[in-house]
Short mmCIF file of all heavy atoms in Angstrom, two decimals:
data_model
loop_
_atom_site.label_atom_id
_atom_site.label_comp_id
_atom_site.label_asym_id
_atom_site.label_seq_id
_atom_site.Cartn_x
_atom_site.Cartn_y
_atom_site.Cartn_z
N LYS A 25 -18.98 18.76 4.01
CA LYS A 25 -19.68 17.63 4.63
C LYS A 25 -19.23 16.36 3.94
O LYS A 25 -19.10 16.31 2.72
CB LYS A 25 -21.19 17.79 4.47
CG LYS A 25 -21.79 18.83 5.36
CD LYS A 25 -23.29 18.79 5.29
CE LYS A 25 -23.88 19.82 6.24
NZ LYS A 25 -25.33 19.83 6.16
N MET A 26 -18.97 15.35 4.74
CA MET A 26 -18.57 14.06 4.19
C MET A 26 -19.82 13.32 3.74
O MET A 26 -20.78 13.23 4.49
CB MET A 26 -17.83 13.24 5.23
CG MET A 26 -16.52 13.84 5.65
SD MET A 26 -15.41 13.89 4.24
CE MET A 26 -13.88 13.88 5.07
N ARG A 27 -19.77 12.82 2.53
CA ARG A 27 -20.94 12.08 2.05
C ARG A 27 -20.70 10.58 2.18
O ARG A 27 -19.56 10.14 2.24
CB ARG A 27 -21.27 12.47 0.62
CG ARG A 27 -20.12 12.30 -0.35
CD ARG A 27 -20.55 12.72 -1.72
NE ARG A 27 -19.48 13.49 -2.32
CZ ARG A 27 -19.47 13.89 -3.55
NH1 ARG A 27 -20.47 13.62 -4.33
NH2 ARG A 27 -18.47 14.58 -4.03
N ALA A 28 -21.76 9.86 2.21
CA ALA A 28 -21.68 8.40 2.33
C ALA A 28 -21.18 7.81 1.02
O ALA A 28 -21.45 8.33 -0.06
CB ALA A 28 -23.04 7.83 2.67
N LEU A 29 -20.44 6.73 1.11
CA LEU A 29 -19.94 6.06 -0.08
C LEU A 29 -21.06 5.24 -0.72
O LEU A 29 -21.90 4.67 -0.02
CB LEU A 29 -18.79 5.12 0.28
CG LEU A 29 -17.52 5.79 0.82
CD1 LEU A 29 -16.53 4.72 1.24
CD2 LEU A 29 -16.91 6.70 -0.20
N SER A 30 -21.04 5.19 -2.03
CA SER A 30 -22.05 4.40 -2.75
C SER A 30 -21.71 2.91 -2.63
O SER A 30 -20.61 2.54 -2.23
CB SER A 30 -22.09 4.80 -4.23
OG SER A 30 -20.90 4.40 -4.87
N ALA A 31 -22.63 2.07 -3.02
CA ALA A 31 -22.41 0.62 -2.97
C ALA A 31 -21.24 0.22 -3.88
O ALA A 31 -20.43 -0.65 -3.53
CB ALA A 31 -23.68 -0.11 -3.39
N THR A 32 -21.13 0.85 -5.03
CA THR A 32 -20.04 0.56 -5.96
C THR A 32 -18.70 0.93 -5.37
O THR A 32 -17.73 0.17 -5.46
CB THR A 32 -20.25 1.33 -7.29
OG1 THR A 32 -21.55 1.06 -7.79
CG2 THR A 32 -19.20 0.96 -8.31
N GLN A 33 -18.64 2.10 -4.72
CA GLN A 33 -17.40 2.54 -4.09
C GLN A 33 -17.00 1.60 -2.96
O GLN A 33 -15.82 1.27 -2.81
CB GLN A 33 -17.54 3.96 -3.56
CG GLN A 33 -17.61 5.03 -4.64
CD GLN A 33 -17.87 6.40 -4.07
OE1 GLN A 33 -18.65 6.55 -3.15
NE2 GLN A 33 -17.22 7.40 -4.64
N LYS A 34 -17.96 1.16 -2.18
CA LYS A 34 -17.68 0.24 -1.08
C LYS A 34 -17.11 -1.08 -1.62
O LYS A 34 -16.17 -1.64 -1.05
CB LYS A 34 -18.93 -0.04 -0.27
CG LYS A 34 -19.35 1.12 0.60
CD LYS A 34 -20.62 0.80 1.36
CE LYS A 34 -21.09 1.98 2.17
NZ LYS A 34 -22.34 1.70 2.88
N THR A 35 -17.67 -1.57 -2.72
CA THR A 35 -17.20 -2.81 -3.33
C THR A 35 -15.76 -2.65 -3.83
O THR A 35 -14.92 -3.52 -3.60
CB THR A 35 -18.10 -3.22 -4.51
OG1 THR A 35 -19.44 -3.33 -4.03
CG2 THR A 35 -17.67 -4.54 -5.11
N LEU A 36 -15.49 -1.52 -4.49
CA LEU A 36 -14.14 -1.26 -4.99
C LEU A 36 -13.13 -1.22 -3.85
O LEU A 36 -12.05 -1.80 -3.93
CB LEU A 36 -14.09 0.06 -5.76
CG LEU A 36 -14.65 0.06 -7.17
CD1 LEU A 36 -14.78 1.48 -7.68
CD2 LEU A 36 -13.77 -0.76 -8.08
N LEU A 37 -13.48 -0.55 -2.76
CA LEU A 37 -12.59 -0.45 -1.61
C LEU A 37 -12.36 -1.81 -0.95
O LEU A 37 -11.25 -2.13 -0.53
CB LEU A 37 -13.12 0.55 -0.59
CG LEU A 37 -13.01 2.02 -0.99
CD1 LEU A 37 -13.73 2.90 0.02
CD2 LEU A 37 -11.56 2.45 -1.13
N ARG A 38 -13.41 -2.62 -0.87
CA ARG A 38 -13.30 -3.95 -0.26
C ARG A 38 -12.32 -4.81 -1.06
O ARG A 38 -11.49 -5.53 -0.49
CB ARG A 38 -14.67 -4.61 -0.22
CG ARG A 38 -14.74 -5.77 0.73
CD ARG A 38 -16.14 -6.37 0.87
NE ARG A 38 -17.19 -5.39 1.06
CZ ARG A 38 -18.24 -5.21 0.23
NH1 ARG A 38 -18.36 -5.94 -0.85
NH2 ARG A 38 -19.16 -4.31 0.48
N GLU A 39 -12.39 -4.75 -2.39
CA GLU A 39 -11.49 -5.52 -3.24
C GLU A 39 -10.06 -4.98 -3.17
O GLU A 39 -9.10 -5.73 -3.26
CB GLU A 39 -11.97 -5.49 -4.69
CG GLU A 39 -13.26 -6.23 -4.92
CD GLU A 39 -13.82 -6.02 -6.32
OE1 GLU A 39 -13.17 -5.33 -7.14
OE2 GLU A 39 -14.93 -6.52 -6.57
N HIS A 40 -9.94 -3.69 -2.99
CA HIS A 40 -8.65 -2.99 -2.99
C HIS A 40 -7.88 -3.19 -1.69
O HIS A 40 -6.65 -3.13 -1.70
CB HIS A 40 -8.94 -1.50 -3.23
CG HIS A 40 -7.75 -0.65 -3.54
ND1 HIS A 40 -7.04 -0.78 -4.70
CD2 HIS A 40 -7.17 0.35 -2.84
CE1 HIS A 40 -6.06 0.12 -4.69
NE2 HIS A 40 -6.13 0.81 -3.58
N LYS A 41 -8.57 -3.43 -0.59
CA LYS A 41 -7.91 -3.43 0.72
C LYS A 41 -6.97 -4.61 0.95
O LYS A 41 -6.12 -4.54 1.82
CB LYS A 41 -8.93 -3.34 1.84
CG LYS A 41 -9.65 -4.60 2.20
CD LYS A 41 -10.53 -4.36 3.40
CE LYS A 41 -11.23 -5.62 3.83
NZ LYS A 41 -12.09 -5.40 4.95
N GLY A 42 -7.08 -5.66 0.17
CA GLY A 42 -6.17 -6.79 0.32
C GLY A 42 -4.74 -6.48 -0.06
O GLY A 42 -3.81 -7.13 0.39
N LYS A 43 -4.57 -5.48 -0.88
CA LYS A 43 -3.24 -5.15 -1.42
C LYS A 43 -2.60 -3.95 -0.74
O LYS A 43 -1.46 -3.62 -1.02
CB LYS A 43 -3.36 -4.86 -2.91
CG LYS A 43 -3.94 -6.00 -3.71
CD LYS A 43 -4.23 -5.59 -5.12
CE LYS A 43 -5.03 -6.66 -5.81
NZ LYS A 43 -6.09 -6.11 -6.60
N HIS A 44 -3.34 -3.26 0.13
CA HIS A 44 -2.84 -2.00 0.70
C HIS A 44 -3.04 -1.95 2.22
O HIS A 44 -3.87 -2.66 2.78
CB HIS A 44 -3.53 -0.81 0.04
CG HIS A 44 -3.22 -0.71 -1.42
ND1 HIS A 44 -2.04 -0.20 -1.90
CD2 HIS A 44 -3.92 -1.12 -2.50
CE1 HIS A 44 -2.05 -0.26 -3.23
NE2 HIS A 44 -3.17 -0.83 -3.62
N SER A 45 -2.29 -1.04 2.86
CA SER A 45 -2.33 -0.91 4.31
C SER A 45 -3.62 -0.24 4.78
O SER A 45 -4.34 0.40 4.00
CB SER A 45 -1.14 -0.07 4.79
OG SER A 45 -1.28 1.27 4.36
N ALA A 46 -3.87 -0.35 6.08
CA ALA A 46 -5.05 0.26 6.67
C ALA A 46 -4.98 1.78 6.56
O ALA A 46 -6.00 2.45 6.33
CB ALA A 46 -5.19 -0.16 8.13
N LYS A 47 -3.79 2.33 6.70
CA LYS A 47 -3.62 3.78 6.60
C LYS A 47 -3.93 4.27 5.18
O LYS A 47 -4.59 5.29 4.99
CB LYS A 47 -2.19 4.16 6.99
CG LYS A 47 -1.99 5.59 7.32
CD LYS A 47 -0.62 5.81 7.94
CE LYS A 47 -0.46 7.25 8.37
NZ LYS A 47 0.86 7.49 8.94
N HIS A 48 -3.46 3.52 4.19
CA HIS A 48 -3.73 3.84 2.80
C HIS A 48 -5.24 3.83 2.54
O HIS A 48 -5.79 4.74 1.92
CB HIS A 48 -3.04 2.79 1.89
CG HIS A 48 -3.37 2.89 0.44
ND1 HIS A 48 -2.58 3.58 -0.44
CD2 HIS A 48 -4.40 2.40 -0.28
CE1 HIS A 48 -3.12 3.49 -1.65
NE2 HIS A 48 -4.22 2.78 -1.58
N MET A 49 -5.91 2.82 3.07
CA MET A 49 -7.35 2.69 2.87
C MET A 49 -8.11 3.82 3.57
O MET A 49 -9.09 4.33 3.04
CB MET A 49 -7.85 1.33 3.36
CG MET A 49 -7.28 0.16 2.58
SD MET A 49 -7.47 0.27 0.80
CE MET A 49 -9.24 0.25 0.65
#
């Protein structure tokens, strides 16, 4: 089962997405 991402994980991904492709994300 896929679990929901925590608030911290969402923040990390949001900051990370500027440097990487949509497929990578």
Side-chain angles (χ1 to χ4, degrees):
K25 286 188 178 178
M26 295 296 205
R27 56 181 137 173
L29 295 175
S30 69
T32 306
Q33 289 175 321
K34 287 179 184 179
T35 304
L36 283 169
L37 287 173
R38 197 175 313 119
E39 292 171 3
H40 192 67
K41 79 176 182 181
K43 302 171 191 137
H44 296 281
S45 68
K47 197 170 184 181
H48 173 95
M49 296 308 297

